[in-house]
């Protein structure tokens, strides 16, 4: 017992030293605080709120398990258990079929010397860069009740109770085609990494090819196959578009959650069903992480490698090639059907060539096209930067909570998007004051630690800044100031801080301190003056001739507003982060006072009104996009960093470079190609996302995938097909431009990891 006490103290002491070591570098410490706050606010908090909401009546605030008891109710129970059973059947069927198909494609392209392999690889990735329900639209056009094949070619008529494309079997078929490329990419990567020497040794011992495959190749692929199966299971359960279009009389949990919110307006029921759906997806995600953690990232072993073994037996080789070609032909047929359907006047009735669908799509959906592209483009670098910072901290630093940060950041892409969307509504329909105060305390606490070394003084500064920031918001009421006038007062406050910083900062750093505080004042000025630009611009745009040009100008005005008039809380947190870098460069007796003033002024913005009430704003859509692609950014960063010898960074540190200098000048240039390649994936995922943002879109900021779904529900299949082609074209253009830039800049194209990010 006595021996355990020093060991306990030693562990706590090491953890404290790790935190202090990170805190000595402001860039590293602020990066950790910012990414931790982002993950907490937009991943952990929404999921916790969904779980909480499922057990609490939103009207009375009382504990309630009414929707959970319905599972044992004689009236509701059979239907709910049927929904759960359908969900599990759909997930297992899609995961099994998708994994088998992915394995066939991977084996054919890696081991069977497939002709035109690069072209086949590109075509195979089509489902990953198209809307998740594009295959469902094509399936309806081909095999629906008025489908080209079923009705017009085969003359099939589907009566009540007949087995058509609508139902579990049609849904599983579409899910397999939609998600099998994910399994293909995972299994292909593992096949390419298998050392051929083991199989060659077995061949030299006269083992048969099937025996080698069964005893060597398949066991080595087992983790990849298992990971593919589990990932496809989660992807299938998380999907919303395909079940909405093809579910028919076989409801699943994702559609029930959607209907509970959009049809019944019952948040507690949606939250309770989300909790039920969260249980299997979270369990599978944990199992999947176990298998993923067993994958090796070692790129250089120091041993000579032999060539790849190819299958030369005609029967085996051509079996895999023919199965791949048949599936590939089906995929191409489905996408050609979408293209053809987009040029038909009325599918199944009048199939004559008609370009009016695109005219209608660009006229009615131009706002959605511009909004989706803009918000996706904004969220892409956000997800990329946060992912790289998390990856750097996880790989290169040791600190308490590292594994939790890694786990929760990946959780955002693993849970179904409908659960995350509901979590955003519940968490941000009103201001989450506890979370707001917690993030503010973290930032001000670190600012205080840079201003003074005394703990009690730091705590006093945090408390004083919070109180002053809160009561500063009462000044407009006391002095009869308007909201705009009060922002001018804050601007003057930041200008005074800029003057004080320039006077009392360290020699050589005064210009930096003055610039940081002056930038905050300029932001407040831009906040006030931007309506004088955007509102006349929007009015002028509405007077322009035509239909499309006025929409473009008005939307451009809203783009300017997006950057210059963010919510006060976002502005306050940004100013607080900038203040940390300014205050730590100041020396002398006024350092503490300037830090307190900066924290109070930023706090007045953080605590202003319904701070961080994001529902109805475009910022919550950007957050949802970034969270969904964050796991891919983190994993791409981790994979790149693990292939860089840490001694390179250590050499920089030995020569006097601090953490931020080493990261900026050594680490970042080495991982930039993979970083930019990951951005392509993130943009594609944002453009095609549906389930996470279907509850968050507004009339001012419509999302293209939601419009596609709406057109299908209203019977406008041809217009929906046109929207899908436009979306695919935008994504392909982004991929092409980025690939061309990467090839010219770094001399080679970079592969994009498309296997995670839901």
């Amino acid at each position: 017992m006595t021996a355990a006490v020093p060991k306990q103290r030693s562990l706590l002491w090491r953890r404290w030293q790790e935190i202090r070591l990170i805190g000595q570098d402001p860039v590293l410490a602020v990066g950790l605080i910012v990414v931790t706050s982002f993950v907490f606010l937009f991943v952990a908090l929404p999921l916790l709120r969904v779980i909480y909401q499922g057990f609490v009546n939103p009207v009375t605030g009382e504990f309630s398990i009414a929707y959970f008891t319905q599972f044992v109710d004689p009236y509701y129970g059979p239907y709910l258990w049927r929904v759960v059973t359908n969900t599990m059947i759909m997930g297992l069927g899609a995961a099994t079929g998708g994994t088998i198909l992915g394995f066939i494609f991977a084996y054919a392209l890696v081991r069977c010397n497939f002709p035109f392999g690069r072209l086949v690889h590109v075509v195979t990735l089509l489902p990953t860069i198209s809307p998740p329900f594009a295959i469902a639209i094509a399936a309806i056009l081909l095999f629906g009740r008025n489908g080209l094949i079923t009705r017009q070619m085969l003359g099939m008529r589907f009566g009540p109770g007949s087995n058509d494309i609508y139902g579990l079997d049609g849904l599983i078929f579409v899910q397999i085609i939609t998600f099998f490329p994910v399994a293909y990419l995972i299994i292909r990567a593992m096949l390419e990494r298998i050392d051929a020497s083991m199989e060659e040794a077995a061949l030299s011992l006269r083992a048969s090819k099937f025996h080698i495959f069964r005893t060597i190749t398949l066991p080595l692929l087992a983790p990849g196959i298992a990971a593919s199966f589990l990932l496809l299971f989660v992807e299938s359960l998380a999907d919303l578009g395909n079940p909405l279009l093809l579910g028919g009389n076989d409801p699943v949990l994702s559609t029930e959650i959607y209907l509970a919110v959009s049809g019944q307006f019952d948040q507690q029921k949606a939250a309770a069903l989300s909790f039920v759906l969260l249980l299997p997806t979270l369990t599978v995600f944990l199992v999947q992480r176990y298998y993923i953690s067993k994958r090796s990232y070692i790129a250089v072993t120091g041993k000579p490698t032999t060539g790849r073994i190819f299958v030369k037996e005609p029967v085996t080789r051509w079996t895999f090639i023919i199965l791949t070609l048949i599936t590939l032909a089906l995929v191409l047929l489905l996408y050609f059907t979408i293209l053809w359907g987009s040029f038909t006047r009325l599918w199944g009735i009048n199939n004559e060539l008609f370009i009016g669908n695109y005219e209608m799509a660009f006229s009615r959906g131009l706002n959605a096209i511009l909004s989706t592209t803009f918000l996706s483009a904004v969220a892409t670098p956000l997800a990329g930067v946060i992912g790289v910072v998390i990856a750097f901290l996880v790989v290169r630093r040791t600190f308490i909570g590292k594994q939790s940060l890694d786990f929760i950041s990946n959780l955002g892409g693993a849970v179904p998007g409908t659960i995350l969307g509901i979590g955003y509504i519940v968490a941000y329909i009103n201001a989450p004051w506890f979370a707001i105060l917690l993030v503010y305390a973290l930032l001000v606490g670190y600012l205080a630690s840079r201003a003074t070394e005394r703990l009690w003084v730091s705590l006093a500064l945090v408390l004083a800044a919070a109180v002053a920031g809160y009561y500063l918001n009462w000044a407009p009421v006391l002095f009869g100031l308007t909201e705009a006038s009060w922002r001018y007062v804050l601007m003057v406050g930041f200008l005074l801080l800029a003057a004080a910083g320039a006077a009392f900062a360290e020699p050589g750093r005064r210009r930096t301190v003055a610039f940081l505080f002056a930038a905050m004042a300029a932001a407040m000025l831009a906040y006030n003056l931007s309506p004088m630009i955007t509102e006349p611009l929007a009015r002028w745009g509405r007077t322009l001739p035509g239909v499309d040009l006025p929409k473009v100008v008005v939307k451009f005005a809203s783009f300017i507003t997006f950057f210059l008039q963010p919510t006060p809380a976002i502005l306050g947190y940004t100013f607080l982060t900038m203040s940390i870098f300014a205050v730590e460069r100041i020396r002398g007796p006024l350092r503490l006072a300037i830090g307190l003033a900066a924290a109070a002024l930023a706090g007045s913005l953080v605590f202003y009104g319904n701070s961080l009430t994001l529902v109805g704003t475009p910022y919550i859509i950007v957050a949802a996009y970034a969270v969904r692609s964050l796991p891919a950014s983190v994993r791409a960063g981790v994979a790149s960093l693990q292939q860089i010898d840490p001694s390179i960074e250590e050499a920089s540190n030995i020569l006097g470079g601090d953490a931020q200098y080493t990261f900026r000048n050594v680490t970042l240039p080495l991982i930039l190609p993979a970083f930019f390649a990951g951005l392509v994936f993130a943009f594609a995922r944002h453009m095609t996302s549906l389930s996470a943002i279907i509850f968050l879109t507004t009339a001012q900021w419509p999302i293209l995938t939601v419009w596609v779904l709406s057109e299908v529900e209203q019977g406008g299949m041809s217009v929906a097909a046109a929207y899908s082609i436009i979306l695919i074209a935008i994504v392909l253009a982004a991929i092409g431009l980025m690939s061309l830039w990467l090839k010219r800049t770094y001399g080679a194209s970079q592969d994009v990891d498309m296997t995670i990010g839901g």
Side-chain angles (χ1 to χ4, degrees):
M1 191 71 176
T2 56
V5 175
K7 186 176 181 181
Q8 181 93 9
R9 289 178 179 173
S10 175
L11 178 61
L12 293 175
W13 183 83
R14 286 201 306 271
R15 295 303 184 193
W16 172 246
Q17 292 304 314
E18 291 166 359
I19 295 173
R20 286 191 61 187
L21 188 62
I22 292 176
Q24 290 174 3
D25 191 318
V27 174
L28 200 61
V30 170
L32 177 60
I33 293 172
V34 169
V35 298
T36 302
S37 300
F38 180 86
V39 169
F40 168 71
L41 288 174
F42 297 110
V43 182
L45 180 64
L47 294 179
L48 291 174
R49 287 289 294 162
V50 165
I51 296 172
Y52 173 81
Q53 188 70 57
F55 293 91
V56 175
N57 189 311
V59 178
T60 63
E62 298 176 350
F63 177 78
S64 172
I65 56 172
Y67 290 106
F68 295 103
T69 57
Q70 288 183 359
F71 280 88
V72 294
D73 185 271
Y75 182 77
Y76 295 104
Y79 176 78
L80 291 174
W81 282 112
R82 180 182 162 218
V83 171
V84 174
T85 303
N86 289 341
T87 305
M88 294 299 107
I89 293 174
M90 177 190 69
L92 293 172
T96 303
T99 303
I100 293 173
L101 200 56
F103 173 80
I104 291 172
F105 266 66
Y107 200 82
L109 288 172
V110 175
R111 292 295 181 89
C112 295
N113 196 17
F114 204 102
F116 306 104
R118 184 64 183 175
L119 179 62
V120 173
H121 172 76
V122 172
V123 174
T124 305
L125 297 183
L126 268 177
T128 64
I129 60 170
S130 62
F133 45 83
I135 300 295
I137 294 175
I140 293 172
L141 294 176
L142 286 176
F143 309 113
R145 293 171 183 173
N146 196 30
L148 176 66
I149 294 177
T150 50
R151 179 76 177 267
Q152 299 177 46
M153 291 185 177
L154 301 179
M156 298 175 66
R157 300 291 187 270
F158 297 97
S162 58
N163 187 21
D164 53 17
I165 191 67
Y166 302 98
L168 270 182
D169 47 0
L171 178 57
I172 291 173
F173 163 74
V174 168
Q175 298 275 41
I176 290 172
I177 300 298
T178 302
F179 297 122
F180 89 89
V182 176
Y184 155 72
L185 287 170
I186 295 175
I187 298 171
R188 173 175 177 150
M190 297 203 72
L191 263 176
E192 290 175 336
R193 292 190 183 110
I194 291 178
D195 190 353
S197 61
M198 297 179 66
E199 295 170 308
E200 288 177 345
L203 276 175
S204 65
L205 295 174
R206 297 184 180 180
S208 66
K209 286 289 185 69
F210 179 75
H211 182 79
I212 294 172
F213 174 79
R214 183 174 57 85
T215 59
I216 297 177
T217 309
L218 201 57
L220 290 173
L221 292 177
I225 293 174
S228 302
F229 179 88
L230 297 174
L231 185 57
L232 263 62
F233 180 81
V234 173
E235 289 273 8
S236 180
L237 263 61
D239 187 38
L240 175 63
N242 288 327
L244 277 177
L245 297 183
L246 295 175
N249 294 323
D250 294 313
V252 294
L253 279 171
S254 60
T255 56
E256 289 296 303
I257 294 169
Y258 169 74
L259 294 174
V261 175
S262 62
Q264 303 170 23
F265 305 102
D266 192 336
Q267 285 188 8
Q268 188 187 2
K269 179 181 179 181
L273 292 175
S274 298
F275 179 73
V276 174
L277 181 58
L278 188 61
L279 292 177
T281 53
L282 190 56
T283 302
V284 167
F285 174 63
L286 292 172
V287 176
Q288 178 208 351
R289 275 180 64 88
Y290 169 75
Y291 277 105
I292 291 294
S293 65
K294 301 178 79 173
R295 291 172 61 179
S296 174
Y297 293 93
I298 298 173
V300 179
T301 62
K303 300 178 181 179
T305 57
T306 57
R308 188 179 302 165
I309 291 182
F310 290 100
V311 175
K312 297 179 180 178
E313 291 76 10
V315 175
T316 305
R317 178 172 179 262
W318 282 105
T319 298
F320 276 94
I321 290 176
I322 290 172
L323 289 174
T324 301
L325 288 175
I326 291 173
T327 308
L328 204 64
L330 177 61
V331 171
L332 288 173
L333 175 63
L334 291 168
Y335 278 95
F336 178 74
T337 302
I338 300 174
L339 180 63
W340 184 13
S342 68
F343 286 103
T344 57
R345 184 176 293 276
L346 188 60
W347 184 265
I349 298 174
N350 187 353
N351 290 335
E352 68 178 14
L353 185 66
F354 181 64
I355 63 172
N357 296 320
Y358 285 93
E359 295 176 357
M360 189 180 302
F362 278 110
S363 61
R364 290 197 319 198
L366 184 61
N367 188 15
I369 295 170
L370 295 174
S371 298
T372 306
T373 307
F374 173 77
L375 295 178
S376 298
V378 171
T380 296
L382 177 66
V385 171
I386 293 176
V388 167
V389 173
I390 293 176
F392 179 80
L393 292 168
V394 168
V395 176
R396 292 289 192 259
R397 291 293 180 267
T398 301
F399 57 92
I400 187 170
K402 181 175 77 169
Q403 297 301 324
S404 298
L405 177 63
D406 183 31
F407 174 76
I408 298 174
S409 65
N410 282 278
L411 196 61
V415 300
T418 47
I419 298 177
L420 204 63
I422 292 170
Y424 282 161
I425 293 176
V426 175
Y428 295 105
I429 192 71
N430 295 309
W433 283 109
F434 172 76
I436 291 169
L437 285 169
L438 183 60
V439 174
Y440 179 78
L442 280 174
L443 288 168
V444 178
Y446 183 68
L447 184 149
S449 71
R450 304 302 295 175
T452 177
E453 295 181 357
R454 298 179 181 179
L455 180 60
W456 70 270
V457 177
S458 297
L459 294 175
L461 190 149
V462 173
L463 182 60
V467 173
Y470 175 76
Y471 282 103
L472 273 175
N473 288 323
W474 291 97
V477 179
L478 295 175
F479 296 102
L481 298 175
T482 63
E483 183 179 339
S485 299
W486 175 237
R487 286 194 291 268
Y488 281 121
V489 172
L490 293 179
M491 181 193 72
V492 172
F494 285 118
L495 284 176
L496 292 175
L497 287 178
F504 295 98
E506 296 176 350
R509 295 187 172 185
R510 293 175 181 176
R511 187 175 297 179
T512 302
V513 174
F515 171 78
L516 288 172
F517 284 124
M520 301 179 206
M524 296 305 302
L525 181 63
Y527 195 107
N528 270 358
L529 297 183
S530 59
M532 300 179 186
I533 299 173
T534 56
E535 291 176 5
L537 180 63
R539 285 196 299 268
W540 172 74
R542 294 187 184 97
T543 64
L544 294 174
V547 177
D548 296 337
L549 186 59
K551 294 179 181 179
V552 173
V553 175
V554 171
K555 180 52 65 175
F556 180 73
S558 65
F559 292 166
I560 298 174
T561 303
F562 176 91
F563 289 113
L564 297 184
Q565 286 193 307
T567 61
I570 295 175
L571 208 57
Y573 285 139
T574 304
F575 288 174
L576 196 52
T577 304
M578 296 169 65
S579 298
I580 293 173
F581 296 106
V583 170
E584 69 103 15
R585 288 172 167 80
I586 298 173
R587 294 291 181 268
L590 287 182
R591 183 182 190 183
L592 202 62
I594 293 174
L596 175 61
L601 290 174
S604 67
L605 292 169
V606 171
F607 302 136
Y608 180 82
N610 291 321
S611 180
L612 219 62
T613 302
L614 298 178
V615 172
T617 70
Y619 306 102
I620 198 167
I621 299 177
V622 171
Y625 278 154
V627 164
R628 296 301 282 173
S629 62
L630 185 58
S633 300
V634 173
R635 200 162 84 181
V638 168
S640 299
L641 287 168
Q642 285 176 331
Q643 293 177 349
I644 297 173
D645 193 339
S647 62
I648 301 175
E649 297 164 319
E650 292 169 0
S652 174
N653 294 329
I654 292 171
L655 293 173
D658 56 11
Q660 60 91 13
Y661 178 88
T662 302
F663 179 78
R664 189 177 69 248
N665 294 283
V666 178
T667 309
L668 195 58
L670 292 173
I671 66 173
L672 268 181
F675 170 74
F676 284 118
L679 293 184
V680 177
F681 163 81
F683 181 77
R685 298 293 285 189
H686 299 161
M687 289 293 296
T688 59
S689 178
L690 172 68
S691 58
I693 48 85
I694 193 170
F695 304 120
L696 308 176
T697 181
T698 62
Q700 185 179 0
W701 293 94
I703 300 301
L704 189 53
T705 50
V706 179
W707 276 60
V708 178
L709 183 64
S710 177
E711 286 290 344
V712 174
E713 290 175 339
Q714 297 173 31
M717 297 297 296
S718 297
V719 179
Y723 278 132
S724 299
I725 294 298
I726 292 170
L727 196 153
I728 293 172
I730 294 172
V731 175
L732 286 175
I735 292 175
L737 290 174
M738 183 61 75
S739 299
L740 181 64
W741 180 80
L742 282 171
K743 190 172 183 179
R744 289 188 174 181
T745 306
Y746 296 99
S749 60
Q750 295 290 322
D751 290 330
V752 182
D753 188 352
M754 308 284 282
T755 60
I756 196 168

